[in-house]
């Protein structure tokens, strides 16, 4: 007889965890108890959950598991950034990056194996798309990283203070699992990270932004990269479906009525493509009515990339124009680029199901753009 699949409890938010325990004939409060063991103490072995009682632990062993992705590579960079390559059950690989800073620690988490959106400047796009991550696989990245950088010794303090859904994949195309995972990250008995410190980054799936507003209010970042449709259609092809005007309007609605909230706009600077003063000025016009923070990301090259990083003077001039127009603007420091952990350099090892990578190889780059 086939063994019944055990539930990976890392994918259950508090209500589902309560339902799970109730179905086992246990009290609902067991849910919080187990979640605290996992997320506050980094314990992923039922036997170490000493206040559970032997009978309950036996039931849990029979029906549930706490399974983390397997670490195949744990790579530290010179600047303290640390990248993990993780192997999933399906044999696919994803990447996850830990970024320590003075006043916080940020984990950059993947939401899909590969990505289907084909942004022309992103190396993940070259891999094609394989599948959505489960909620357990998304949460598993945070648990694994917390354990690796040391929750247990860190009494009381969070090993990871911020999570950005900015790894591989488009989080809004894996909506339900991402929402569940973020609920676990922000729950007090879960990872307990404040909603402002969990950031979802999207290439601009407009209907999903509308939906997101209904169910959560985590911070929202949008990968803009161009101030007009003509250029954005080339760089971020999903723009052909959801043009800039609709995107900006949806973002305005997302933070409407929430004081002190801003949209973070990400803008990769590509030499001679989108980095001129005229682009900066039109960006400032485009965003003038939206409370905004602008992150300029100097392009991170990867083998075969059709772009170059903008010159330093161009980057600074671009920033100065935005600052003069009143926008908080920062040039994002490139972190971990010696280990290919910087934005757009995460590739994992993906078995493409869309044949996108074959298309990339067959079509000369100028034509593909
Ligand atoms: N799909 C989501 C999540 C990925 S976030 C999104 O698009 O927002 C990763 C960020 O890095 C995005 O802003 C992406 O546009 C940016 N990026 C991708 N490739 C890059 C590269 N080669 N150099 C700099 N930034 C890049």
């Amino acid at each position: 007889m086939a063994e019944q699949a055990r539930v990976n409890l890392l994918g259950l938010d508090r209500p589902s965890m309560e339902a799970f325990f109730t179905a086992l004939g246990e009290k609902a409060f067991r849910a919080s108890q187990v979640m605290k063991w996992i997320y506050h103490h980094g314990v992923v072995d039922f036997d170490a959950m000493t206040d559970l009682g032997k009978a309950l632990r036996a039931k849990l062993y029979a029906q549930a598991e706490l399974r983390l992705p397997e670490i195949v590579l744990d790579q530290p960079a010179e600047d303290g950034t640390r990248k993990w390559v993780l192997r999933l059950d399906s044999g696919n690989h994803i990447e996850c990056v830990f970024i320590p800073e003075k006043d916080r620690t940020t984990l950059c988490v993947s939401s899909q194996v590969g990505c289907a959106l084909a942004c022309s400047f992103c190396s993940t796009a070259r891999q094609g798309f394989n599948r959505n991550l489960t909620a357990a696989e998304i949460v598993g990245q945070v648990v694994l990283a917390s354990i690796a950088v040391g929750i247990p010794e860190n009494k009381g303090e969070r090993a990871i203070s911020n999570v950005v859904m900015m790894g591989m994949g488009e989080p809004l195309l894996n909506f339900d699992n991402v929402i569940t995972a973020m609920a676990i990250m922000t729950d007090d008995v879960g990872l307990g990270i404040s909603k402002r410190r969990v950031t979802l980054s999207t290439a601009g799936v407009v209907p999903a932004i509308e939906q997101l507003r209904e169910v959560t209010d985590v911070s929202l970042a949008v990968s803009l990269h161009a101030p007009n449709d003509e250029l954005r259609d080339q760089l971020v092809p999903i723009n052909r479906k959801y043009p800039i005007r609709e995107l900006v309007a949806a973002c305005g609605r997302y933070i409407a009525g929430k004081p002190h909230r801003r949209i973070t706009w990400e803008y990769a600077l590509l030499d001679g493509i989108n980095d001129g003063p005229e682009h900066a000025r039109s960006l400032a016009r485009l965003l003038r009515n939206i409370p905004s923070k602008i992150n300029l990301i100097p392009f991170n090259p990867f083998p075969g990339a059709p772009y170059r990083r903008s010159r330093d003077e161009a980057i600074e001039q671009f920033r100065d124009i935005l600052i003069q127009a009143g926008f908080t603007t920062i040039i994002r420091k490139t972190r971990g680029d010696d280990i290919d952990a910087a934005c757009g350099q995460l590739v994992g090892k993906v078995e493409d199901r869309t044949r996108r990578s074959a298309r990339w190889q067959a079509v000369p780059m100028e034509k593909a753009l």
Side-chain angles (χ1 to χ4, degrees):
M1 207 172 69
E3 204 187 315
Q4 206 192 339
R6 294 188 292 169
V7 190
N8 191 350
L9 298 186
L10 294 175
L12 303 189
D13 58 10
R14 198 189 323 190
S16 309
M17 191 79 108
E18 286 173 354
F20 171 81
F21 278 100
T22 313
L24 280 187
E26 296 286 335
K27 293 269 180 356
F29 78 84
R30 295 293 184 195
S32 307
Q33 211 175 352
V34 168
M35 287 179 81
K36 284 184 191 163
W37 276 115
I38 305 168
Y39 301 111
H40 296 186
H41 304 287
V43 169
V44 288
D45 172 4
F46 296 127
D47 263 343
M49 300 182 181
T50 43
D51 53 1
L52 288 192
K54 218 167 161 196
L56 174 53
R57 293 205 305 262
K59 271 196 217 172
L60 286 174
Y61 269 115
Q63 309 223 15
E65 60 183 356
L66 291 168
R67 195 140 46 95
L68 296 168
E70 182 194 336
I71 300 176
V72 292
L73 188 69
D74 178 350
Q75 208 176 6
E78 306 242 322
D79 62 6
T81 302
R82 190 163 162 189
K83 177 173 92 171
W84 292 277
V85 178
L86 305 174
R87 186 177 180 281
L88 308 173
D89 292 340
S90 50
N92 285 298
H93 292 72
I94 53 163
E95 300 189 350
C96 170
V97 181
F98 175 74
I99 308 153
E101 287 167 283
K102 257 196 237 96
D103 53 345
R104 60 181 166 189
T105 54
T106 302
L107 191 71
C108 178
V109 168
S110 293
S111 58
Q112 297 182 316
V113 180
C115 186
L117 291 187
C119 299
S120 59
F121 51 87
C122 180
S123 64
T124 303
R126 298 293 180 88
Q127 304 288 303
F129 172 75
N130 184 279
R131 69 170 173 85
N132 283 331
L133 296 189
T134 63
E137 288 166 339
I138 298 170
V139 171
Q141 296 170 63
V142 191
V143 173
L144 177 149
S146 306
I147 293 172
V149 301
I151 307 185
E153 302 89 57
N154 233 353
K155 296 169 210 91
E157 264 188 48
R158 288 199 181 87
I160 288 165
S161 66
N162 294 54
V163 170
V164 292
M165 301 296 306
M166 293 188 187
M168 296 166 67
E170 168 49 53
L172 290 184
L173 293 181
N174 183 12
F175 195 87
D176 292 345
N177 294 339
V178 165
I179 294 294
T180 302
M182 292 192 310
I184 298 166
M185 292 175 204
T186 55
D187 192 331
D188 285 346
V189 296
L191 289 147
I193 302 172
S194 116
K195 283 194 178 146
R196 282 161 177 266
R197 290 171 174 271
V198 173
T199 301
L200 183 148
S201 180
T202 178
V205 189
V206 170
I209 294 175
E210 306 285 1
Q211 237 182 311
L212 189 69
R213 183 162 55 103
E214 313 273 310
V215 294
T216 183
D217 63 346
V218 296
S219 296
L220 184 63
V222 175
S223 299
L224 195 59
H225 308 308
N228 60 62
D229 285 325
E230 198 192 349
L231 188 52
R232 194 164 193 269
D233 281 352
Q234 308 295 317
L235 300 176
V236 184
I238 197 176
N239 193 70
R240 297 172 200 163
K241 200 159 176 194
Y242 306 116
I244 289 187
R245 189 193 292 266
E246 288 175 27
L247 174 58
V248 172
C251 291
R253 286 191 288 276
Y254 188 78
I255 50 170
K258 295 175 193 155
H260 313 304
R261 296 302 283 268
R262 298 188 285 186
I263 300 288
T264 299
W265 305 95
E266 294 157 277
Y267 195 107
L269 286 162
L270 314 170
D271 183 29
I273 306 277
N274 65 354
D275 65 346
E278 69 283 9
H279 296 116
R281 284 190 288 268
S282 81
L283 183 60
R285 273 196 303 279
L286 176 70
L287 302 180
R288 66 181 180 277
N289 294 324
I290 309 275
S292 296
K293 176 180 163 200
I294 302 173
N295 274 350
L296 301 175
I297 318 174
F299 173 65
N300 294 309
F302 51 89
Y307 303 110
R308 284 185 311 266
R309 177 174 296 187
S310 299
R311 290 171 303 110
D312 287 347
E313 310 85 78
I315 297 175
E316 279 159 28
Q317 187 185 25
F318 202 96
R319 176 197 55 195
D320 292 345
I321 292 171
L322 294 170
I323 288 178
Q324 269 159 27
F327 291 94
T328 305
T329 308
I330 51 176
I331 299 171
R332 192 184 281 169
K333 258 199 295 171
T334 297
R335 300 290 306 257
D337 58 347
D338 54 328
I339 53 166
D340 284 346
C343 305
Q345 292 183 318
L346 303 185
V347 294
K349 194 171 132 213
V350 175
E351 196 193 315
D352 181 22
R353 297 195 166 206
T354 61
R355 314 269 319 141
R356 164 150 303 116
S357 43
R359 231 163 63 216
W360 279 114
Q361 278 150 24
V363 184
M365 201 45 68
E366 314 77 63
K367 297 227 176 75
L369 294 181

